[in-house]
Short mmCIF file of all heavy atoms in Angstrom, two decimals:
data_model
loop_
_atom_site.label_atom_id
_atom_site.label_comp_id
_atom_site.label_asym_id
_atom_site.label_seq_id
_atom_site.Cartn_x
_atom_site.Cartn_y
_atom_site.Cartn_z
N LEU A 6 2.30 3.33 21.31
CA LEU A 6 1.70 4.55 20.78
C LEU A 6 0.56 4.24 19.82
O LEU A 6 -0.51 4.85 19.90
CB LEU A 6 2.76 5.39 20.06
CG LEU A 6 2.22 6.63 19.33
CD1 LEU A 6 1.69 7.67 20.32
CD2 LEU A 6 3.28 7.24 18.43
N VAL A 7 0.78 3.29 18.93
CA VAL A 7 -0.27 2.91 17.98
C VAL A 7 -1.51 2.43 18.73
O VAL A 7 -2.65 2.83 18.41
CB VAL A 7 0.23 1.81 17.02
CG1 VAL A 7 -0.92 1.21 16.21
CG2 VAL A 7 1.29 2.38 16.08
N GLU A 8 -1.32 1.61 19.73
CA GLU A 8 -2.45 1.10 20.50
C GLU A 8 -3.18 2.24 21.23
O GLU A 8 -4.41 2.25 21.27
CB GLU A 8 -1.96 0.06 21.51
CG GLU A 8 -1.48 -1.22 20.84
CD GLU A 8 -0.82 -2.19 21.80
OE1 GLU A 8 -0.35 -1.73 22.87
OE2 GLU A 8 -0.75 -3.39 21.48
N ASP A 9 -2.43 3.19 21.74
CA ASP A 9 -3.05 4.33 22.44
C ASP A 9 -3.83 5.22 21.46
O ASP A 9 -4.91 5.71 21.79
CB ASP A 9 -1.98 5.16 23.14
CG ASP A 9 -1.40 4.46 24.37
OD1 ASP A 9 -2.00 3.49 24.84
OD2 ASP A 9 -0.32 4.89 24.84
N LEU A 10 -3.28 5.44 20.27
CA LEU A 10 -3.99 6.24 19.26
C LEU A 10 -5.28 5.56 18.84
O LEU A 10 -6.33 6.21 18.67
CB LEU A 10 -3.08 6.46 18.04
CG LEU A 10 -1.85 7.34 18.25
CD1 LEU A 10 -0.96 7.31 17.01
CD2 LEU A 10 -2.24 8.77 18.59
N TYR A 11 -5.23 4.26 18.69
CA TYR A 11 -6.42 3.48 18.32
C TYR A 11 -7.49 3.58 19.41
O TYR A 11 -8.66 3.85 19.12
CB TYR A 11 -6.00 2.03 18.09
CG TYR A 11 -7.15 1.06 17.92
CD1 TYR A 11 -7.95 1.08 16.77
CD2 TYR A 11 -7.43 0.12 18.91
CE1 TYR A 11 -9.00 0.17 16.62
CE2 TYR A 11 -8.47 -0.79 18.76
CZ TYR A 11 -9.26 -0.75 17.62
OH TYR A 11 -10.30 -1.64 17.48
N LYS A 12 -7.07 3.41 20.65
CA LYS A 12 -8.01 3.47 21.76
C LYS A 12 -8.62 4.87 21.92
O LYS A 12 -9.74 5.03 22.38
CB LYS A 12 -7.32 3.05 23.05
CG LYS A 12 -6.97 1.58 23.10
CD LYS A 12 -6.14 1.25 24.34
CE LYS A 12 -5.71 -0.21 24.34
NZ LYS A 12 -4.81 -0.51 25.50
N ALA A 13 -7.84 5.89 21.50
CA ALA A 13 -8.33 7.27 21.61
C ALA A 13 -9.36 7.61 20.53
O ALA A 13 -10.00 8.67 20.60
CB ALA A 13 -7.16 8.24 21.52
N GLY A 14 -9.49 6.74 19.53
CA GLY A 14 -10.51 6.96 18.51
C GLY A 14 -10.01 7.41 17.15
O GLY A 14 -10.82 7.68 16.25
N TYR A 15 -8.72 7.51 16.97
CA TYR A 15 -8.18 7.87 15.65
C TYR A 15 -8.37 6.73 14.66
O TYR A 15 -8.30 5.55 15.03
CB TYR A 15 -6.69 8.19 15.74
CG TYR A 15 -6.35 9.50 16.40
CD1 TYR A 15 -5.85 9.54 17.70
CD2 TYR A 15 -6.51 10.71 15.72
CE1 TYR A 15 -5.53 10.74 18.31
CE2 TYR A 15 -6.19 11.92 16.32
CZ TYR A 15 -5.70 11.93 17.62
OH TYR A 15 -5.38 13.12 18.21
N LYS A 16 -8.57 7.10 13.40
CA LYS A 16 -8.53 6.12 12.31
C LYS A 16 -7.07 6.04 11.86
O LYS A 16 -6.48 7.05 11.50
CB LYS A 16 -9.43 6.56 11.16
CG LYS A 16 -10.91 6.61 11.53
CD LYS A 16 -11.74 7.28 10.46
CE LYS A 16 -11.82 6.44 9.19
NZ LYS A 16 -12.74 7.05 8.19
N LEU A 17 -6.51 4.86 11.89
CA LEU A 17 -5.09 4.68 11.60
C LEU A 17 -4.87 4.00 10.26
O LEU A 17 -5.60 3.07 9.89
CB LEU A 17 -4.42 3.85 12.71
CG LEU A 17 -4.56 4.36 14.14
CD1 LEU A 17 -3.80 3.45 15.10
CD2 LEU A 17 -4.06 5.79 14.26
N TYR A 18 -3.83 4.47 9.57
CA TYR A 18 -3.44 3.92 8.27
C TYR A 18 -1.91 3.87 8.22
O TYR A 18 -1.25 4.78 8.74
CB TYR A 18 -3.92 4.80 7.12
CG TYR A 18 -5.40 5.01 7.06
CD1 TYR A 18 -6.03 5.94 7.91
CD2 TYR A 18 -6.20 4.29 6.18
CE1 TYR A 18 -7.39 6.14 7.87
CE2 TYR A 18 -7.58 4.50 6.13
CZ TYR A 18 -8.17 5.41 6.98
OH TYR A 18 -9.53 5.60 6.94
N THR A 19 -1.36 2.86 7.60
CA THR A 19 0.06 2.95 7.27
C THR A 19 0.18 3.73 5.96
O THR A 19 -0.75 3.75 5.14
CB THR A 19 0.72 1.57 7.10
OG1 THR A 19 0.14 0.88 5.98
CG2 THR A 19 0.58 0.73 8.36
N ALA A 20 1.32 4.36 5.76
CA ALA A 20 1.61 5.06 4.51
C ALA A 20 3.08 4.82 4.21
O ALA A 20 3.95 5.60 4.57
CB ALA A 20 1.31 6.54 4.62
N SER A 21 3.34 3.69 3.57
CA SER A 21 4.71 3.24 3.31
C SER A 21 4.89 3.02 1.82
O SER A 21 3.93 2.70 1.11
CB SER A 21 4.98 1.93 4.06
OG SER A 21 6.20 1.34 3.66
N THR A 22 6.12 3.17 1.35
CA THR A 22 6.40 2.89 -0.06
C THR A 22 6.99 1.50 -0.26
O THR A 22 7.54 1.20 -1.31
CB THR A 22 7.34 3.95 -0.67
OG1 THR A 22 8.49 4.12 0.16
CG2 THR A 22 6.62 5.28 -0.82
N LYS A 23 6.88 0.64 0.76
CA LYS A 23 7.19 -0.77 0.53
C LYS A 23 5.90 -1.44 0.05
O LYS A 23 4.80 -0.93 0.27
CB LYS A 23 7.74 -1.46 1.78
CG LYS A 23 6.77 -1.60 2.93
CD LYS A 23 7.27 -2.61 3.97
CE LYS A 23 8.49 -2.14 4.70
NZ LYS A 23 9.04 -3.18 5.59
N ALA A 24 6.03 -2.58 -0.62
CA ALA A 24 4.86 -3.26 -1.19
C ALA A 24 3.79 -3.49 -0.12
O ALA A 24 4.11 -3.86 1.02
CB ALA A 24 5.28 -4.60 -1.80
N GLU A 25 2.55 -3.30 -0.51
CA GLU A 25 1.47 -3.35 0.47
C GLU A 25 1.38 -4.70 1.19
O GLU A 25 1.16 -4.75 2.40
CB GLU A 25 0.14 -3.02 -0.20
CG GLU A 25 -1.01 -2.88 0.78
CD GLU A 25 -2.19 -2.20 0.14
OE1 GLU A 25 -2.14 -0.98 -0.03
OE2 GLU A 25 -3.16 -2.92 -0.20
N TRP A 26 1.58 -5.79 0.46
CA TRP A 26 1.47 -7.10 1.12
C TRP A 26 2.59 -7.27 2.14
O TRP A 26 2.40 -7.91 3.18
CB TRP A 26 1.48 -8.24 0.11
CG TRP A 26 2.79 -8.52 -0.56
CD1 TRP A 26 3.26 -8.00 -1.71
CD2 TRP A 26 3.81 -9.41 -0.10
NE1 TRP A 26 4.51 -8.49 -2.00
CE2 TRP A 26 4.86 -9.38 -1.03
CE3 TRP A 26 3.94 -10.25 1.02
CZ2 TRP A 26 6.03 -10.12 -0.89
CZ3 TRP A 26 5.09 -11.01 1.16
CH2 TRP A 26 6.13 -10.94 0.22
N LEU A 27 3.74 -6.64 1.88
CA LEU A 27 4.84 -6.70 2.83
C LEU A 27 4.53 -5.83 4.06
O LEU A 27 4.85 -6.21 5.20
CB LEU A 27 6.12 -6.21 2.15
CG LEU A 27 7.45 -6.47 2.85
CD1 LEU A 27 7.62 -7.94 3.17
CD2 LEU A 27 8.60 -5.98 1.99
N CYS A 28 3.89 -4.70 3.83
CA CYS A 28 3.42 -3.87 4.96
C CYS A 28 2.47 -4.68 5.84
O CYS A 28 2.55 -4.62 7.08
CB CYS A 28 2.70 -2.63 4.45
SG CYS A 28 3.71 -1.47 3.53
N GLU A 29 1.58 -5.41 5.21
CA GLU A 29 0.62 -6.22 5.96
C GLU A 29 1.31 -7.26 6.83
O GLU A 29 0.93 -7.48 7.98
CB GLU A 29 -0.36 -6.89 4.99
CG GLU A 29 -1.29 -5.90 4.31
CD GLU A 29 -2.09 -6.52 3.16
OE1 GLU A 29 -1.76 -7.66 2.77
OE2 GLU A 29 -3.01 -5.86 2.66
N LEU A 30 2.36 -7.90 6.27
CA LEU A 30 3.12 -8.88 7.04
C LEU A 30 3.78 -8.23 8.25
O LEU A 30 3.79 -8.79 9.35
CB LEU A 30 4.18 -9.55 6.17
CG LEU A 30 3.71 -10.60 5.17
CD1 LEU A 30 4.90 -11.14 4.37
CD2 LEU A 30 3.01 -11.76 5.88
N CYS A 31 4.35 -7.05 8.05
CA CYS A 31 5.01 -6.33 9.15
C CYS A 31 4.02 -5.99 10.26
O CYS A 31 4.31 -6.18 11.45
CB CYS A 31 5.67 -5.06 8.64
SG CYS A 31 7.14 -5.33 7.64
N ILE A 32 2.86 -5.48 9.86
CA ILE A 32 1.86 -5.11 10.86
C ILE A 32 1.34 -6.35 11.58
O ILE A 32 1.08 -6.32 12.80
CB ILE A 32 0.71 -4.32 10.20
CG1 ILE A 32 1.23 -3.00 9.63
CG2 ILE A 32 -0.42 -4.06 11.20
CD1 ILE A 32 1.91 -2.09 10.64
N GLU A 33 1.21 -7.46 10.86
CA GLU A 33 0.82 -8.72 11.50
C GLU A 33 1.87 -9.17 12.52
O GLU A 33 1.53 -9.62 13.62
CB GLU A 33 0.62 -9.80 10.44
CG GLU A 33 -0.64 -9.64 9.62
CD GLU A 33 -0.72 -10.63 8.47
OE1 GLU A 33 0.10 -11.59 8.46
OE2 GLU A 33 -1.58 -10.47 7.59
N GLU A 34 3.15 -9.05 12.14
CA GLU A 34 4.23 -9.44 13.04
C GLU A 34 4.20 -8.60 14.32
O GLU A 34 4.54 -9.09 15.40
CB GLU A 34 5.59 -9.25 12.34
CG GLU A 34 5.89 -10.26 11.24
CD GLU A 34 6.33 -11.62 11.79
OE1 GLU A 34 6.99 -11.66 12.84
OE2 GLU A 34 6.00 -12.64 11.15
N LEU A 35 3.79 -7.35 14.19
CA LEU A 35 3.69 -6.45 15.35
C LEU A 35 2.40 -6.65 16.14
O LEU A 35 2.21 -6.03 17.18
CB LEU A 35 3.78 -4.98 14.88
CG LEU A 35 5.10 -4.55 14.26
CD1 LEU A 35 4.96 -3.14 13.65
CD2 LEU A 35 6.22 -4.57 15.28
N ARG A 36 1.50 -7.49 15.61
CA ARG A 36 0.20 -7.77 16.22
C ARG A 36 -0.64 -6.50 16.37
O ARG A 36 -1.29 -6.26 17.39
CB ARG A 36 0.38 -8.46 17.58
CG ARG A 36 1.10 -9.80 17.47
CD ARG A 36 1.21 -10.50 18.79
NE ARG A 36 1.88 -11.78 18.64
CZ ARG A 36 2.13 -12.64 19.64
NH1 ARG A 36 1.73 -12.33 20.86
NH2 ARG A 36 2.76 -13.77 19.41
N LEU A 37 -0.62 -5.70 15.29
CA LEU A 37 -1.35 -4.43 15.30
C LEU A 37 -2.43 -4.35 14.22
O LEU A 37 -3.01 -3.29 14.02
CB LEU A 37 -0.37 -3.26 15.11
CG LEU A 37 0.60 -2.97 16.27
CD1 LEU A 37 1.60 -1.89 15.86
CD2 LEU A 37 -0.15 -2.56 17.53
N THR A 38 -2.68 -5.44 13.54
CA THR A 38 -3.63 -5.42 12.43
C THR A 38 -4.98 -4.84 12.84
O THR A 38 -5.60 -4.06 12.09
CB THR A 38 -3.83 -6.82 11.85
OG1 THR A 38 -2.55 -7.34 11.43
CG2 THR A 38 -4.76 -6.81 10.65
N HIS A 39 -5.43 -5.17 14.02
CA HIS A 39 -6.75 -4.73 14.49
C HIS A 39 -6.82 -3.22 14.68
O HIS A 39 -7.92 -2.65 14.72
CB HIS A 39 -7.10 -5.42 15.80
CG HIS A 39 -6.21 -5.02 16.95
ND1 HIS A 39 -4.93 -5.51 17.09
CD2 HIS A 39 -6.41 -4.18 18.00
CE1 HIS A 39 -4.37 -5.00 18.18
NE2 HIS A 39 -5.24 -4.18 18.74
N CYS A 40 -5.67 -2.55 14.77
CA CYS A 40 -5.65 -1.10 15.01
C CYS A 40 -5.84 -0.27 13.75
O CYS A 40 -6.18 0.92 13.83
CB CYS A 40 -4.33 -0.69 15.66
SG CYS A 40 -4.07 -1.34 17.33
N PHE A 41 -5.64 -0.89 12.59
CA PHE A 41 -5.59 -0.12 11.35
C PHE A 41 -6.85 -0.27 10.51
O PHE A 41 -7.34 -1.37 10.29
CB PHE A 41 -4.36 -0.53 10.52
CG PHE A 41 -3.07 0.00 11.08
CD1 PHE A 41 -2.36 -0.72 12.01
CD2 PHE A 41 -2.59 1.25 10.69
CE1 PHE A 41 -1.18 -0.23 12.55
CE2 PHE A 41 -1.43 1.75 11.21
CZ PHE A 41 -0.71 1.02 12.15
N GLU A 42 -7.36 0.88 10.05
CA GLU A 42 -8.46 0.88 9.10
C GLU A 42 -8.03 0.22 7.80
O GLU A 42 -8.77 -0.54 7.19
CB GLU A 42 -8.89 2.33 8.80
CG GLU A 42 -9.56 3.05 9.95
CD GLU A 42 -10.99 2.60 10.17
OE1 GLU A 42 -11.68 2.33 9.17
OE2 GLU A 42 -11.40 2.53 11.34
N LYS A 43 -6.81 0.56 7.37
CA LYS A 43 -6.28 0.03 6.12
C LYS A 43 -4.76 0.11 6.16
O LYS A 43 -4.20 1.14 6.54
CB LYS A 43 -6.82 0.84 4.93
CG LYS A 43 -6.18 0.55 3.58
CD LYS A 43 -6.48 -0.84 3.07
CE LYS A 43 -5.90 -1.05 1.66
NZ LYS A 43 -5.99 -2.45 1.22
N VAL A 44 -4.10 -0.97 5.79
CA VAL A 44 -2.65 -0.97 5.64
C VAL A 44 -2.36 -0.55 4.20
O VAL A 44 -2.70 -1.26 3.25
CB VAL A 44 -2.05 -2.36 5.94
CG1 VAL A 44 -0.56 -2.37 5.64
CG2 VAL A 44 -2.31 -2.73 7.40
N CYS A 45 -1.78 0.62 4.04
CA CYS A 45 -1.54 1.19 2.71
C CYS A 45 -0.05 1.20 2.40
O CYS A 45 0.77 1.63 3.21
CB CYS A 45 -2.07 2.62 2.64
SG CYS A 45 -3.85 2.76 2.93
N GLY A 46 0.28 0.73 1.21
CA GLY A 46 1.66 0.71 0.78
C GLY A 46 1.75 0.86 -0.72
O GLY A 46 0.76 1.16 -1.40
N ALA A 47 2.93 0.62 -1.24
CA ALA A 47 3.12 0.66 -2.69
C ALA A 47 2.35 -0.49 -3.34
O ALA A 47 2.04 -1.49 -2.69
CB ALA A 47 4.60 0.55 -3.04
N GLY A 48 2.04 -0.33 -4.62
CA GLY A 48 1.31 -1.37 -5.33
C GLY A 48 2.08 -2.67 -5.35
O GLY A 48 3.31 -2.69 -5.48
N ASN A 49 1.38 -3.77 -5.23
CA ASN A 49 2.04 -5.07 -5.25
C ASN A 49 2.59 -5.44 -6.61
O ASN A 49 3.32 -6.43 -6.75
CB ASN A 49 1.05 -6.15 -4.78
CG ASN A 49 0.70 -5.99 -3.31
OD1 ASN A 49 1.52 -5.56 -2.51
ND2 ASN A 49 -0.53 -6.32 -2.95
N ASP A 50 2.28 -4.63 -7.62
CA ASP A 50 2.82 -4.87 -8.96
C ASP A 50 4.22 -4.29 -9.14
O ASP A 50 4.86 -4.47 -10.18
CB ASP A 50 1.90 -4.28 -10.03
CG ASP A 50 1.64 -2.78 -9.84
OD1 ASP A 50 2.29 -2.17 -8.95
OD2 ASP A 50 0.80 -2.22 -10.56
N GLY A 51 4.72 -3.59 -8.12
CA GLY A 51 6.06 -3.02 -8.20
C GLY A 51 6.14 -1.74 -9.01
O GLY A 51 7.22 -1.18 -9.19
N VAL A 52 5.00 -1.26 -9.48
CA VAL A 52 4.98 -0.07 -10.34
C VAL A 52 4.12 1.05 -9.75
O VAL A 52 4.55 2.19 -9.65
CB VAL A 52 4.47 -0.42 -11.76
CG1 VAL A 52 4.41 0.84 -12.62
CG2 VAL A 52 5.35 -1.48 -12.40
#
């Protein structure tokens, strides 16, 4: 679905409350980094 949305022209963002660097690792594991304009998550400072 993510790949199809990307190909259709949508700008994609994650919106998670887990730490942003951890979101980035997850998206990398899924091999979807190229689909996202920005991986957005909670601040890496934990606050």
Side-chain angles (χ1 to χ4, degrees):
L6 174 67
V7 169
E8 291 172 338
D9 288 345
L10 293 173
Y11 170 71
K12 290 174 184 176
Y15 287 105
K16 296 170 68 175
L17 305 182
Y18 301 80
T19 64
S21 170
T22 50
K23 67 165 68 186
E25 187 165 284
W26 72 269
L27 193 55
C28 295
E29 291 170 349
L30 285 179
C31 289
I32 296 303
E33 287 174 11
E34 288 282 327
L35 295 171
R36 298 183 179 180
L37 291 174
T38 303
H39 66 283
C40 294
F41 286 89
E42 291 285 323
K43 170 67 176 171
V44 174
C45 299
N49 293 327
D50 57 7
V52 178

